[in-house]
Amino acid sequence: MLICLFLFFCKGQTDYAPYFYDNGPSSTSGNMALFSISEDTPVGRQIYILNGSDPEGDPVRYGLTFEMGTKEYFRVEPKSGNVTLIQELDRENQGEISVLVSITDGRNKVVETVRVFVTDANDESPEFQNLPFIINIPEDTTPGSSIYKVHAVDKDMGSGGSVSYYLQMCQTKFTIDGHSGILRVKPGETLDYETTPTHFVTVVAKDGGGKYKGKHQVMTSTATITINVMDAQDVPPSFVGTPYFGYIYEVSVPGSEIFTVYARDGDQGNPNPIRYEILNGRNRERVYVGLNNQLLDYDVTMVTVRVVDLNNHPPTFYGENGPQSKFEVTMYEHPPAGEILRGFKITVNDSDQGANAKFKLRLVGPNRVLRVVPQTVLNEAQVTIIVEDSNGIDYEKGPTLSFKLLAVEIDTPERFSATADIVINLLDTNDNIPKFSSEYYITRVPENSPGGSSVVSVTANDPDSGLWGNIKYTIYGSGSDLFAISQSSGLITTQPWTSLDAEVRSKYNFYVKAEDAEGKYSLAEVFVTVLDMNDHSPEFDDKLLEKTMVIGSPVRVEAVDDDAESPNNVIEYSIMTADPNNAFDINANTGEIQLKPYIKSMEIVQNITRQKDCKWTLVVQAKDRGSPSFSTTAVVNIDITEATPLKGPMAAFLMKSRDNPLKALGMVTVIVSVLVGVTVFISTALFLRNSKSNRIIPVRRIIKRPPRDQQPWTFNMSRVYFTNPGSKFLISDTESGSQQRVKPPPPTAPSLPPPTQSNPRPRTIPTISGVLASKGSKKTKAGPRGKDGNMSSALVSELKMKLEQKIIESNKGGCY
């Protein structure tokens, strides 16, 4: 018991507290002392690893806490010490985070207070100060003068916190210093209150840019500066409502009011008092504008005063030479709306006085084309005719416009009136653009049309007169060089030297241009489709085609029709004649030729053929579907063979090369050359070795006899039948599609006929044979009955009978 207490006491004396590693401020592991983190760090990212140790080697756990009332930004995994960001950071609100980190071994716990620094990212836009910006400046401010200073603050640090300024869009009156933000009147520019009393200028504050979430980012802010221009005394006064006409009865007493004139100061923003003065008692009056009784500027106008007597005169129209009832002017069409027709010099007057001289003016004619000013007249007025509808004054609608100008008294019992004719003679202007009757012209032209053939006629209209109404047609664009156009009529024809061919090009599109004498023009697009005519016959690659057919697999013939469109280039195939007859079928669409379904083996082929060979001939016709229809024929020689399954790579190669004997011959040549080369090499090596040897090696011949009871060795291989050897290899030209026959080897003696059932079977002789079959061909059973088993028994009997009759004849020639 004492020993245990002593050991326990000793152990308690050596229990040290765990501690953090101090890896420096730039390290991402340790106790987070002086650790810094960017404010744009994504939430959820691991940012640090608390790392420490226990002197006794006990496992430690880590902790991380924040002071009461503060936001928790980090979370630690107790075992691994991985610290993760759990709240978004904002350096502008909190640039330093105080956090308590701890490490414990279960018995002792160490707690340290550390500071985590938040580094800046460019996430703040510049903020303008002292908004809104409203400036009042006099209109006579000197160009280049400073008128305001804008100021913006960016809370970011470094380049992201620097601010520069510029004006948005093109400001013609003002400019701003990019560094100081001082706004100035642009040199050479002046302000005018009467024209623009207020200016709105948009200023942009841009920071210097910086990193944000791994990318460079520049942030901007905008503000509007309102600039109010204050009026200055720089515009003289002017009379309003001139010319002035005053009226007075002849019985009026002195001091009676005759007429009131009105003037206003041109400086409307800060007008000065106005003083009026009559220059003389006859026809003029002067108006002064003053400031504190100081004369600044003045204006002069004429006032006409008439004496009114009784209503005994009607209104009268006057021209330059006295009373006039017809006024005529010549002018160009389409004057702008609001324009005064200055060619008319019309004055209307009623010699009566007062109410007897009050009348209305009215213009009678096409509605809302012209209007007359003034509409109400007292005694006398100059008549002004103003354009109201420019489109109504159109030479194309009529070269002459006629109106009636009426002056009718009002408020009088007599109701006197006067009428004048207003005649406007119009001069034409080039105010119209030639316009095509259609934006698109679509036409079709037969191919092989002779040069100069009509394609389509385009028409454009220009309602202007004279040379402006004359239209010249031109043609241009891709493909237009094959066509010509009449400059006067717009008729499009093919060029005299060209003939359109649908097989060369079947679609053309180009532009036509209608242009007047002044260069005004419009365009239209022409689409020409060349109609295909059946002018080509189908063509085979060769008039004599050589094909090798494996029973059960088709062969294909192909003809090409050079016509451009269906049905002229659609080909139908048919068999015209065949020897033997009724042995082949042909697919009318694809040109695939195959044997009749009942021909399933070489025995049936041998029973049908008369020449005792395997080459059958047929004449194939290729006919197009055009109108009229064209056709051509080709003689097809077909060698019939039967597929025998082969195994091994050489068999597969021979099957693939059955129609390309040169390829097969080349491969055989390569193999033989390699074997010969190897033999020569071995022989040479043995000769050299023996020639250098000093010993004479006796030549010994060892004859080894097989045991008597051992069976003789035989070499069995699958048989490969060559049907008509050497004549079944064709050279196929894949580019031209033609086929050539390889010269066959010298003829060989025909094989013996098979033995009859009664004779004993002869001894088996090892043979090597092969067959050339198309890729993917399957083994076909010999005999009239094959896998299908659906041939009638009568047909089978007939074929067997014919086969037995011709067994003897096969000694002279046959197909195997």
Side-chain angles (χ1 to χ4, degrees):
M1 178 64 71
L2 292 174
I3 295 174
C4 292
L5 290 175
F6 179 75
L7 292 175
F8 178 79
F9 176 77
C10 292
K11 183 177 181 180
Q13 290 296 325
T14 60
D15 186 12
Y16 295 101
Y19 59 91
F20 283 105
Y21 293 134
D22 183 10
N23 294 328
S26 61
S27 175
T28 58
S29 66
N31 62 350
M32 294 186 75
L34 300 178
F35 173 66
S36 62
I37 180 173
S38 178
E39 63 176 328
D40 60 350
T41 302
V43 174
R45 175 176 291 180
Q46 178 183 326
I47 61 171
Y48 200 85
I49 300 175
L50 292 178
N51 193 9
S53 179
D54 183 70
E56 291 78 30
D58 293 335
V60 296
R61 296 174 69 87
Y62 303 96
L64 190 151
T65 59
F66 293 83
E67 296 179 359
M68 293 292 293
T70 62
K71 185 181 294 186
E72 296 185 2
Y73 287 96
F74 313 114
R75 179 182 295 126
V76 65
E77 206 283 321
K79 292 183 178 180
S80 65
N82 293 337
V83 180
T84 305
L85 180 66
I86 62 174
Q87 291 281 353
E88 289 187 354
L89 302 175
D90 188 356
R91 186 203 63 82
E92 287 72 27
N93 291 331
Q94 186 174 355
E96 180 180 313
I97 300 172
S98 178
V99 61
L100 299 175
V101 297
S102 64
I103 182 171
T104 179
D105 60 0
R107 295 179 301 276
N108 301 301
K109 183 177 182 180
V110 176
V111 180
E112 297 181 5
T113 302
V114 297
R115 293 183 300 169
V116 177
F117 299 99
V118 181
T119 60
D120 188 47
N122 191 25
D123 60 342
E124 295 288 336
S125 302
E127 295 183 2
F128 285 97
Q129 308 295 308
N130 303 319
L131 291 174
F133 298 144
I134 301 177
I135 311 170
N136 297 321
I137 60 174
E139 65 176 331
D140 56 356
T141 300
T142 305
S145 300
S146 300
I147 60 175
Y148 195 72
K149 181 178 181 180
V150 298
H151 181 60
V153 176
D154 194 316
K155 296 179 182 179
D156 291 317
M157 301 178 64
S159 62
S162 64
V163 181
S164 59
Y165 308 91
Y166 64 91
L167 298 182
Q168 196 175 56
M169 302 178 61
C170 181
Q171 301 291 340
T172 58
K173 296 288 185 181
F174 306 95
T175 183
I176 193 170
D177 185 89
H179 299 287
S180 65
I182 296 177
L183 186 68
R184 292 184 173 90
V185 178
K186 187 180 291 185
E189 297 291 341
T190 57
L191 305 177
D192 188 358
Y193 172 85
E194 287 72 27
T195 302
T196 309
T198 303
H199 298 270
F200 298 97
V201 178
T202 301
V203 62
V204 180
K206 180 181 70 172
D207 65 19
K211 288 291 186 65
Y212 180 72
K213 293 186 177 180
K215 296 182 179 180
H216 186 77
Q217 174 172 277
V218 177
M219 303 192 72
T220 61
S221 298
T222 60
T224 300
I225 304 175
T226 303
I227 303 174
N228 297 319
V229 180
M230 301 172 63
D231 192 19
Q233 296 299 322
D234 59 350
V235 181
S238 61
F239 284 100
V240 178
T242 58
Y244 294 133
F245 296 92
Y247 303 90
I248 186 173
Y249 290 100
E250 56 184 349
V251 295
S252 299
V253 297
S256 299
E257 181 179 341
I258 301 173
F259 191 75
T260 300
V261 297
Y262 174 71
R264 63 182 177 184
D265 191 354
D267 301 309
Q268 293 297 309
N270 186 23
N272 285 323
I274 294 177
R275 181 166 57 89
Y276 300 91
E277 178 183 327
I278 298 177
L279 294 179
N280 56 61
R282 298 186 62 85
N283 57 6
R284 291 184 178 274
E285 181 177 12
R286 176 182 292 177
V287 60
Y288 299 93
V289 59
L291 178 61
N292 297 327
N293 296 324
Q294 180 182 4
L295 181 63
L296 297 179
D297 214 335
Y298 67 91
D299 188 20
V300 178
T301 188
M302 179 181 293
V303 179
T304 302
V305 179
R306 293 187 181 276
V307 179
V308 180
D309 68 349
L310 298 177
N311 187 22
N312 56 356
H313 296 90
T316 304
F317 293 101
Y318 293 89
E320 292 181 336
N321 300 321
Q324 192 171 329
S325 60
K326 183 177 181 180
F327 298 89
E328 190 169 357
V329 71
T330 299
M331 58 180 289
Y332 285 103
E333 63 177 341
H334 299 304
E339 180 175 305
I340 298 174
L341 301 185
R342 303 187 183 277
F344 291 111
K345 295 182 180 180
I346 307 172
T347 302
V348 62
N349 174 264
D350 191 328
S351 300
D352 294 322
Q353 300 295 321
N356 294 329
K358 188 177 181 180
F359 56 91
K360 282 185 174 292
L361 290 177
R362 184 162 58 96
L363 200 60
V364 179
N367 189 27
R368 301 185 64 84
V369 175
L370 303 175
R371 61 186 176 92
V372 63
V373 176
Q375 295 182 354
T376 301
V377 180
L378 183 62
N379 291 117
E380 184 176 300
Q382 291 181 352
V383 178
T384 302
I385 298 177
I386 301 175
V387 177
E388 205 169 49
D389 182 10
S390 175
N391 295 326
I393 306 177
D394 191 349
Y395 178 88
E396 285 72 32
K397 295 180 181 179
T400 302
L401 289 176
S402 298
F403 299 86
K404 291 288 185 180
L405 181 59
L406 302 180
V408 181
E409 289 183 348
I410 56 176
D411 300 332
T412 61
E414 294 79 12
R415 302 277 292 182
F416 291 124
S417 64
T419 303
D421 294 324
I422 305 296
V423 179
I424 301 176
N425 298 315
L426 297 178
L427 300 176
D428 192 21
T429 61
N430 189 18
D431 59 333
N432 292 285
I433 298 176
K435 291 185 179 180
F436 282 97
S437 58
S438 175
E439 294 182 5
Y440 304 96
Y441 292 90
I442 302 175
T443 184
R444 296 183 294 178
V445 180
E447 68 172 342
N448 300 326
S449 299
S453 298
S454 175
V455 176
V456 66
S457 181
V458 298
T459 56
N461 180 48
D462 191 333
D464 291 320
S465 62
L467 294 177
W468 291 323
N470 293 337
I471 298 175
K472 182 180 71 173
Y473 298 94
T474 54
I475 186 173
Y476 68 96
S478 176
S480 63
D481 52 341
L482 301 181
F483 303 90
I485 190 170
S486 172
Q487 292 188 356
S488 58
S489 66
L491 176 64
I492 299 176
T493 59
T494 57
Q495 292 282 8
W497 43 265
T498 188
S499 178
L500 301 179
D501 190 347
E503 287 74 42
V504 177
R505 183 174 177 180
S506 62
K507 302 288 184 182
Y508 296 87
N509 73 292
F510 48 85
Y511 292 91
V512 289
K513 178 180 180 181
E515 183 178 13
D516 63 17
E518 202 175 57
K520 293 184 177 181
Y521 67 90
S522 64
L523 302 176
E525 193 167 5
V526 178
F527 297 87
V528 179
T529 299
V530 181
L531 298 178
D532 182 45
M533 307 298 291
N534 193 20
D535 55 350
H536 291 85
S537 300
E539 294 292 338
F540 287 99
D541 295 336
D542 197 348
K543 292 298 183 181
L544 178 61
L545 304 177
E546 299 289 341
K547 299 289 182 179
T548 299
M549 176 182 288
V550 177
I551 296 178
S553 299
V555 296
R556 185 171 180 264
V557 296
E558 183 179 9
V560 177
D561 194 313
D562 290 335
D563 285 312
E565 297 178 0
S566 175
N568 295 334
N569 59 1
V570 177
I571 299 175
E572 291 182 347
Y573 299 92
S574 61
I575 298 175
M576 303 299 293
T577 60
D579 184 19
N581 192 17
N582 199 26
F584 295 97
D585 289 326
I586 189 169
N587 189 310
N589 297 321
T590 64
E592 287 188 348
I593 302 172
Q594 59 185 0
L595 293 170
K596 291 286 186 178
Y598 69 87
I599 303 177
K600 296 185 176 182
S601 66
M602 289 301 299
E603 287 80 0
I604 300 176
V605 172
Q606 294 167 5
N607 288 335
I608 294 176
T609 184
R610 298 177 181 178
Q611 288 79 14
K612 300 302 179 180
D613 59 16
C614 299
K615 179 180 289 187
W616 289 353
T617 303
L618 63 158
V619 178
V620 177
Q621 174 183 267
K623 180 179 181 181
D624 62 31
R625 295 183 181 178
S627 179
S629 178
F630 295 100
S631 63
T632 186
T633 59
V635 177
V636 183
N637 291 330
I638 299 179
D639 291 332
I640 311 299
T641 184
E642 184 175 27
T644 300
L646 298 178
K647 297 181 180 180
M650 180 58 70
F653 172 76
L654 292 175
M655 293 291 288
K656 294 180 180 179
S657 306
R658 69 182 188 275
D659 289 331
N660 193 350
L662 290 182
K663 183 177 179 181
L665 181 60
M667 180 57 72
V668 172
T669 303
V670 170
I671 294 174
V672 172
S673 300
V674 171
L675 294 177
V676 171
V678 171
T679 303
V680 171
F681 176 77
I682 294 174
S683 301
T684 304
L686 293 174
F687 173 77
L688 293 176
R689 188 187 68 175
N690 294 333
S691 62
K692 294 180 180 180
S693 177
N694 295 326
R695 294 184 301 171
I696 300 176
I697 301 175
V699 178
R700 293 181 297 173
R701 183 178 180 185
I702 299 175
I703 300 176
K704 195 172 185 178
R705 300 181 180 275
R708 295 182 178 181
D709 56 349
Q710 186 177 356
Q711 296 293 330
W713 179 82
T714 59
F715 179 75
N716 294 324
M717 293 184 64
S718 300
R719 294 192 179 188
V720 180
Y721 294 95
F722 288 93
T723 58
N724 196 4
S727 64
K728 301 302 184 289
F729 295 94
L730 298 177
I731 301 176
S732 177
D733 186 356
T734 58
E735 295 184 356
S736 63
S738 61
Q739 294 181 340
Q740 299 177 359
R741 179 176 294 276
V742 179
K743 184 177 180 181
T748 59
S751 302
L752 295 175
T756 60
Q757 297 295 332
S758 58
N759 295 331
R761 186 171 182 177
R763 182 180 178 183
T764 302
I765 299 175
T767 60
I768 300 176
S769 60
V771 68
L772 299 180
S774 61
K775 183 178 180 180
S777 62
K778 297 181 179 180
K779 182 177 179 181
T780 304
K781 293 184 178 180
R785 285 188 180 270
K787 184 179 179 179
D788 298 334
N790 55 359
M791 185 170 289
S792 64
S793 58
L795 178 60
V796 174
S797 301
E798 182 180 356
L799 292 176
K800 286 184 176 180
M801 185 180 297
K802 290 183 178 180
L803 181 61
E804 292 174 358
Q805 293 175 356
K806 294 185 178 181
I807 288 177
I808 300 174
E809 298 177 0
S810 61
N811 293 327
K812 299 180 180 180
C815 301
Y816 294 92

